[in-house]
Amino acid sequence: MIASIVMVLLCTAATVFVLVAVRGTAEKYKTEEIVASAVRVSYLVRRERLPPVILDEDISGVQVVNPRGQIVSTSSELVGRPRIAAFRPNEASAQDHKVLCRSSAFPERCMIVVALRVPQPDGQWLVYATDAQVPWYVNRQLFSALIGSSLLLILLTAFGTYQTVGKALAPVDAIADKLAVITTTDLGQRVPVPKFDDEIRRLAETANQTLDRAELAVEQQRRFASDASHDLRSPLTAMRTEIEEALLHPEAADWPKTGDALLESLDRLQALVTDLLQIARLDAGAAPKLVAVDLADLAACELDRRQRKVDVVRELDPGVLVTGDRLRLARLLNNLLDNGERHATSMMIVKVYRVDGCGALEVVDDGAGIRASQREVVFERFTRLDAARNKDAGGTGLGLSIARQIAESHGGTLTIEDSTLGARFVLRLPITHSEC
């Protein structure tokens, strides 16, 4: 529609320009023709061969007026009519012309009137010659040709633009149709990618990349839900088994022992639910409460309140300030300490120091360590290596995943690096007012 409107405006402007140019030329030509007719009549006046009725078929009318203002000769169409005009050429020129509308001789038309002065012995004679003014459309044939060609151009533009835009947007329609049928249960489909390297191709590729991420996220959610339900079922099943076994022989049941077993299962269930809630908050992107945190002070406070299962060596450099949520960072540290205690043989080392514009916190245990091929696997949710299951069957498999998410939410990193002892977990966070 826009292209058609633009073409209408262009055709209108072109038509007006052509009509104005052609009309100017035609009017000039007609004025010259009227002047030529007046000159021919003036020759008759000079030779005194002027008939009472002038036969001139080329123009609409001619009148000859003597010095006394009397019409002495006229064309056949003006016999009995008044003077065509009353103006006369000025003294500096022998002729003049004007456009007169609604004159007494031609009351219904606008006429081009030429006045020619002819000097004679008895005074100045005037020859008036006139013809109809050129209409604004010049003539019907030209006007019809211009309108017809304009309409043809407009129709061709509308049709051509419609076809071109339709072809150009066909891939967009295909993308929209495909996106309309893709659901969360069928994220394996992808939108068609056009063959031309243009914006629409980039749109399709971006849509497919988004679908890739959505499929991966949904798959992770499904796997997470499956693993969570499995881990939640285990303590519940253990508690149910303990209760059912005690109820079968209530008089012979060791109820304190049963209560201890139930409490152990409840502790595991509570830890799992707590971890699941923490992951839900992290996945929801809840903004942390940012304050300045001294990593050495945080590590010392958390180590002081914990019951020691192994010896802990502290190497804490004071004044390493980072910006973060103190509670979340404390949770991260405790997850690392829990993991270290679970795998340590007799000792852990906790370090805080500065390195390359970052605040670093290390937790190193003297256990068996983690193979390089499994250093990223341990950060996946519900992942527990065989060694971890043998050491402690009550873990949730979420601690290290939560720790890494907390680190990344603070703009930092949590990795496992080479160590001469066991596993060496290294947390790096941007120091306050600097970049890491």
Side-chain angles (χ1 to χ4, degrees):
M1 185 173 288
I2 292 174
S4 300
I5 291 173
V6 171
M7 182 54 67
V8 167
L9 295 176
L10 289 174
C11 289
T12 301
T15 300
V16 171
F17 175 79
V18 170
L19 288 176
V20 170
V22 173
R23 185 176 183 274
T25 302
E27 194 162 284
K28 181 179 179 182
Y29 175 78
K30 178 162 281 194
T31 301
E32 292 175 351
E33 186 180 16
I34 298 170
V35 170
S37 296
V39 170
R40 288 197 300 270
V41 173
S42 69
Y43 289 156
L44 297 176
V45 173
R46 288 193 181 98
R47 296 174 182 175
E48 296 182 355
R49 295 180 180 178
L50 187 65
V53 178
I54 303 172
L55 300 176
D56 194 330
E57 302 288 341
D58 295 334
I59 59 176
S60 298
V62 177
Q63 286 180 344
V64 179
V65 180
N66 62 19
R68 294 184 296 277
Q70 297 172 336
I71 299 174
V72 296
S73 181
T74 183
S75 59
S76 58
E77 292 186 1
L78 295 179
V79 174
R81 295 192 185 186
R83 287 179 58 170
I84 297 174
F87 72 93
R88 59 177 59 217
N90 56 40
E91 296 299 328
S93 176
Q95 71 175 44
D96 193 7
H97 69 275
K98 293 183 179 181
V99 176
L100 301 179
C101 295
R102 298 180 181 178
S103 64
S104 55
F106 297 94
E108 298 179 354
R109 291 187 292 173
C110 290
M111 309 294 289
I112 301 174
V113 180
V114 173
L116 181 64
R117 187 173 59 248
V118 183
Q120 289 293 98
D122 58 346
Q124 300 288 334
W125 289 55
L126 293 174
V127 176
Y128 291 101
T130 184
D131 204 354
Q133 187 184 26
V134 178
W136 63 269
Y137 55 85
V138 183
N139 62 57
R140 286 185 174 83
Q141 291 80 4
L142 175 63
F143 186 69
S144 299
L146 289 174
I147 294 299
S149 59
S150 297
L151 290 176
L152 181 61
L153 278 175
I154 293 168
L155 291 175
L156 288 175
T157 300
F159 179 77
T161 306
Y162 180 80
Q163 293 294 324
T164 303
V165 173
K167 284 185 177 180
L169 295 183
V172 178
D173 292 335
I175 293 171
D177 293 341
K178 179 60 72 174
L179 288 175
V181 300
I182 294 176
T183 63
T184 55
T185 59
D186 188 20
L187 287 174
Q189 299 188 57
R190 294 295 179 267
V191 300
V193 178
K195 61 181 179 179
F196 299 109
D197 186 13
D198 54 11
E199 292 81 358
I200 298 177
R201 181 186 179 91
R202 289 193 288 276
L203 171 65
E205 291 173 345
T206 303
N208 284 335
Q209 292 169 3
T210 303
L211 289 172
D212 289 339
R213 293 192 295 270
E215 184 179 22
L216 178 61
V218 170
E219 183 60 31
Q220 288 175 342
Q221 290 293 332
R222 288 173 181 165
R223 189 165 58 250
F224 174 75
S226 175
D227 293 340
S229 62
H230 178 271
D231 277 52
L232 285 170
R233 192 184 303 115
S234 297
L236 290 173
T237 302
M239 287 189 290
R240 184 180 184 88
T241 301
E242 290 287 342
I243 294 173
E244 287 178 346
E245 184 178 351
L247 290 176
L248 284 175
H249 306 284
E251 67 284 351
D254 187 348
W255 289 105
K257 182 179 178 181
T258 301
D260 291 339
L262 291 175
L263 285 176
E264 183 179 349
S265 295
L266 284 172
D267 288 340
R268 181 181 175 188
L269 184 62
Q270 183 178 12
L272 181 59
V273 171
T274 301
D275 286 345
L276 289 175
L277 289 175
Q278 181 64 37
I279 283 181
R281 294 191 189 99
L282 293 172
D283 286 346
K289 298 178 181 179
L290 300 179
V291 295
V293 180
D294 188 322
L295 286 182
D297 178 66
L298 176 69
C301 290
E302 295 303 318
L303 289 171
D304 289 342
R305 68 162 58 102
R306 291 176 62 91
Q307 293 182 356
R308 297 186 181 182
K309 297 181 180 179
V310 295
D311 292 334
V312 178
V313 177
R314 305 186 186 188
E315 299 179 10
L316 310 177
D317 293 346
V320 181
L321 294 176
V322 299
T323 300
D325 188 319
R326 186 178 182 88
L327 291 178
R328 292 190 182 181
L329 292 177
R331 178 65 185 274
L332 185 158
L333 175 59
N334 278 290
N335 286 0
L336 295 181
L337 293 174
D338 289 341
N339 182 79
E341 288 179 348
R342 189 177 299 117
H343 295 89
T345 302
S346 61
M347 181 188 66
M348 281 196 312
I349 302 174
V350 178
K351 298 181 180 180
V352 172
Y353 55 92
R354 291 172 179 261
V355 57
D356 298 330
C358 295
L361 185 149
E362 287 188 15
V363 176
V364 185
D365 63 68
D366 62 348
I370 300 174
R371 294 196 301 271
S373 61
Q374 295 180 318
R375 288 180 181 178
E376 286 299 315
V377 176
V378 298
F379 290 107
E380 296 178 2
R381 295 174 181 179
F382 296 106
T383 297
R384 303 188 67 207
L385 303 180
D386 293 337
R389 295 184 185 276
N390 295 332
K391 287 275 187 179
D392 181 10
T396 65
L398 294 173
L400 294 179
S401 176
I402 292 173
R404 171 166 278 189
Q405 275 192 272
I406 293 174
E408 291 175 348
S409 69
H410 285 74
T413 59
L414 177 61
T415 57
I416 301 175
E417 300 184 5
D418 295 335
S419 173
T420 56
L421 294 174
R424 176 175 169 237
F425 288 82
V426 181
L427 167 69
R428 289 184 174 85
L429 295 174
I431 291 179
T432 302
H433 305 305
S434 69
E435 294 184 358
C436 179

